[in-house]
Structures are given as structure tokens and as C-alpha cells.
Amino acid sequence: MESTFSGGTEDASDGDLSQDTGEFEAVSIDADESSVVLSDVVVSDIDIDEDGVTDGVSVTSTEIRETDLNGDGEPNIIEKTTITETVVDVTGDGVPDVGSRVVSAEVIMDLNGDGTPDTIDIVETTTIAYDTTGDGLPDVAETTVVEASGIDLNGDGVLDHIEATMAEAVSVDIDGDGIPDEMIVTVDELDTDDIDADD
């Protein structure tokens, strides 16, 4: 696994994987010089039973793109993407029992440059897979997708319209062939316009 920073590329396997730099470093600037990209990768050991033996590993990568549209030095658009992947061997048999992946994308826009967000968009997808039989294949997987957006129409700093959707899916591999046999999907939606209309 490699980690790329402004100082070059280093092989993450050569160092202590449990340390976090705690800060982002600028790794590239777009050709038009209106965007700056910051990135960071953190690798951490997981010790569930606190016996000093690593039970799993978590890798979090974060990228932030800041775009200054009007050249005043303040970003008008901030895009942040975070990916966290975790693998845990709970039973200690060397086969991962639980794995998860969380992908979060957030876009905040201040188009008029007053320092207050005009629009916010967030999408987060969480997948958790369980190997209950110890064969190395997930038998049960749960996926949750949350999408939320808001807009400030009058510039008072308060979001006037908010929409949110949450979808959940649970899949089960009954015969252990690695292919889901059954799936349950639920979807919940929220729209503040609908709430206002009911009042």
C-alpha cells in the first residue's frame, strides 16, 4: 500500500501503520490555480479485546478540493471525500469476520462569497459484510445510503429547503456460493416542502 504526500511517495508498509499525521498536506494545484487539493491517508491497527494483538486494520483516505471562484482567497466550493475501509478478525482464526466500507462525499458552495453556505450536498454509503461461517465469503451484507441536500434561498444563513433520502439493503447468501440469494430494500424520504404543506 502506498501513501502519496507532497514530499513524495513512501511505502506505508515500511513504517508504523498506526500513526496519524494529524494534518493535511497540499499535494497538487490545478492548472488554473483556482483549486487546491489536500489529501491524507491514515492507517490504524484495531485491537478489539485490548490484548495487545492486532485484530484488524482500518484505512481512511481523505481528499479535500477547495475552489476559489472570484479570486478573493476564500474558497467558494469545498468538496470533501472520505473513504474508510475496515477489516476485523473477531475469532482470531486468521479469516476476516467483519468488513466495512464507508464512503462520504460532501459539497458545500458559497456562491456569493459572504462566508455562509448557499448549498450543501452530502452522500454517504456504508456497507458492512459479515462472514458467519468462516469460509472467507460474506454471508450477510448491509448497505445504507444517505443522501441529503439543502439550499439557502434568501441568503440568511438558514437552509430553506432540505431533502433527504435513506435507503437500506440487506442481502443474505443462504447457500454459501458468494452470491446473494435474498435481498430486502427499504427507502425513506424527507422533503421539508411536504412538511410545510401539511402544517
Side-chain angles (χ1 to χ4, degrees):
M1 176 185 309
E2 291 189 345
S3 172
T4 305
F5 296 96
S6 59
T9 302
E10 62 182 31
D11 188 346
S13 62
D14 293 339
D16 183 354
L17 300 181
S18 63
Q19 293 185 356
D20 178 3
T21 60
E23 57 188 57
F24 294 96
E25 300 183 27
V27 295
S28 66
I29 299 178
D30 286 354
D32 61 5
E33 296 186 359
S34 65
S35 293
V36 176
V37 178
L38 311 166
S39 65
D40 188 38
V41 177
V42 178
V43 181
S44 304
D45 292 335
I46 299 172
D47 182 6
I48 295 176
D49 49 14
E50 299 181 354
D51 62 355
V53 178
T54 300
D55 300 305
V57 65
S58 176
V59 180
T60 300
S61 61
T62 304
E63 180 177 286
I64 300 174
R65 176 182 295 271
E66 298 181 345
T67 303
D68 179 8
L69 297 176
N70 53 20
D72 64 356
E74 296 295 328
N76 301 100
I77 302 174
I78 300 175
E79 302 168 83
K80 179 179 179 181
T81 302
T82 303
I83 301 173
T84 301
E85 296 178 311
T86 303
V87 177
V88 179
D89 174 16
V90 179
T91 59
D93 61 358
V95 179
D97 304 297
V98 181
S100 67
R101 177 180 170 89
V102 180
V103 180
S104 177
E106 178 181 302
V107 179
I108 299 175
M109 295 188 184
D110 173 20
L111 300 177
N112 57 14
D114 64 354
T116 303
D118 301 306
T119 66
I120 298 176
D121 289 290
I122 301 171
V123 178
E124 182 172 283
T125 303
T126 303
T127 301
I128 304 174
Y130 304 92
D131 175 17
T132 61
T133 60
D135 61 359
L137 296 174
D139 308 301
V140 179
E142 301 175 7
T143 299
T144 304
V145 179
V146 178
E147 298 182 26
S149 62
I151 185 169
D152 176 12
L153 297 172
N154 56 15
D156 63 355
V158 178
L159 298 177
D160 300 298
H161 179 76
I162 299 173
E163 293 181 359
T165 302
M166 183 174 76
E168 295 180 282
V170 178
S171 61
V172 180
D173 176 17
I174 298 173
D175 53 14
D177 62 357
I179 301 173
D181 300 301
E182 294 185 11
M183 181 172 288
I184 302 171
V185 178
T186 59
V187 177
D188 295 314
E189 296 183 0
L190 167 70
D191 190 325
T192 55
D193 283 349
D194 296 338
I195 295 174
D196 294 338
D198 293 337
D199 291 342

